[in-house]
Amino acid sequence: GFIDVGGSVDQPYFTYKVNTEGSIVMYEAARLLDIKRIVLISSNGVYQKKEYEPIDEKHPVFSPCVGSLTSHYGASKIAAEIMGLTYFTFNNIDLIILRMCSIYGFGMKNPMYIKPMVENTVSGHPSDFPTGGNMLRDYTYVKDSAKAVLNAIEADNSLLKQRVFNISGGKLYSAFEVAEIVNSLMPKASIKIGSGLSDIEKIDIEGRGVLDCAKAKEMISYNPEYDLKRGIKEYIYLLQCYLKQENQIKGGDNNN
């Protein structure tokens, strides 16, 4: 998947080629090859401007006035969802859609402030952001996200009263609060972050809110186990283990 919201502004065709066409290829494969089930990883980025909170799966994703708040990325996800649901309705494709939100943890690619804060601090480098402190996200630890996928794969069809589910940590945190947590876990951290938002964030934040995961809990037994502090603590630990192992390997190479 192509997950760069800002990058999708400059690469719309590529975004749809990967996210939307990639999805329809899988749906068609499932139709032709009788694949048992597809779990589509979608995004909270499909939601339009927040009308109420917590945001449930029935919240509007389409506006007659404006496009997706998360640019072509969000639009590509909306398109993949409606195509998949139509395959489900008319072609008997067993589909579950998970609208994931701000997944973080060791190995993450999308910065979301949390990645540079953690990884720079572990490596002994400062982090300095001119703006972004007010950006809000409902962060979801990677292990909770992975558990949701496994639960969706194994879900009992007789319990599924709907096919789209929110998956999140269940609480909004600002980037300021992320910095405070990193500082509390690593007191030597040097993190500076200004208030305000980038142009993309000013649009993106209009759709941000706590996601209602009640249906995921009821139908696919989703229950997040990690709050943000616990997730960041494990992220730090795993990164430190990785870097230690990497240094040992490099040291062995040098000795050879």
Side-chain angles (χ1 to χ4, degrees):
F2 184 62
I3 61 173
D4 187 346
V5 173
S8 74
V9 176
D10 299 320
Q11 301 181 74
Y13 179 77
F14 178 75
T15 303
Y16 294 114
K17 188 76 174 173
V18 174
N19 293 348
T20 310
E21 187 176 325
S23 297
I24 198 171
V25 166
M26 296 307 299
Y27 300 147
E28 188 65 4
R31 184 181 72 86
L32 296 174
L33 302 176
D34 195 29
I35 292 172
K36 185 176 181 181
R37 171 171 287 167
I38 286 183
V39 177
L40 175 69
I41 307 302
S42 189
S43 168
N44 67 298
V46 301
Y47 290 118
Q48 272 293 332
K49 187 175 181 178
K50 182 174 64 179
E51 294 187 0
Y52 55 83
E53 194 175 16
I55 297 172
D56 62 18
E57 294 87 350
K58 293 182 179 180
H59 188 284
V61 299
F62 177 79
S63 166
C65 303
V66 296
S68 170
L69 297 179
T70 50
S71 185
H72 297 287
Y73 167 75
S76 73
K77 290 296 189 179
I78 295 168
E81 283 194 7
I82 189 60
M83 289 190 305
L85 288 169
T86 307
Y87 266 89
F88 163 73
T89 302
F90 291 97
N91 300 104
N92 200 33
I93 299 301
D94 188 353
L95 173 73
I96 294 178
I97 296 170
L98 302 180
R99 289 177 177 165
M100 299 285 194
C101 188
S102 303
I103 302 172
Y104 72 98
F106 177 67
M108 67 185 294
K109 296 180 181 179
N110 193 5
M112 298 189 297
Y113 296 105
I114 196 168
K115 175 181 171 69
M117 286 182 187
V118 169
E119 298 189 6
N120 286 345
T121 300
V122 169
S123 300
H125 303 297
S127 297
D128 192 352
F129 310 94
T131 61
N134 302 109
M135 187 61 195
L136 298 171
R137 286 185 170 88
D138 187 347
Y139 289 96
T140 317
Y141 190 55
V142 62
K143 285 187 177 180
D144 285 330
S145 302
K147 184 68 181 298
V149 174
L150 292 174
N151 287 4
I153 290 171
E154 299 172 354
D156 184 343
N157 268 326
S158 66
L159 302 178
L160 299 179
K161 300 174 185 177
Q162 65 187 52
R163 291 285 166 160
V164 181
F165 299 98
N166 286 332
I167 302 296
S168 78
K171 182 179 178 181
L172 284 182
Y173 292 89
S174 69
F176 283 131
E177 291 173 305
V178 175
E180 289 175 4
I181 291 173
V182 174
N183 273 308
S184 72
L185 294 170
M186 294 186 289
K188 293 183 179 180
S190 175
I191 302 172
K192 295 179 181 179
I193 184 166
S195 60
L197 303 170
S198 69
D199 290 341
I200 287 287
E201 289 172 336
K202 288 175 183 177
I203 300 172
D204 184 1
I205 202 169
E206 292 184 358
R208 294 279 173 178
V210 175
L211 297 190
D212 185 345
C213 299
K215 296 298 183 183
K217 183 177 182 179
E218 174 190 347
M219 298 180 205
I220 64 170
S221 302
Y222 173 70
N223 191 29
E225 298 179 5
Y226 287 77
D227 62 16
L228 187 60
K229 186 169 185 177
R230 182 186 176 195
I232 290 177
K233 184 176 182 179
E234 187 167 293
Y235 180 6
I236 292 168
Y237 170 73
L238 292 173
L239 178 61
Q240 289 172 332
C241 290
Y242 170 78
L243 292 175
K244 181 179 180 180
Q245 185 179 48
E246 188 179 54
N247 289 332
Q248 288 174 343
I249 292 171
K250 288 180 179 178
D253 290 341
N254 290 336
N255 290 335
N256 291 335

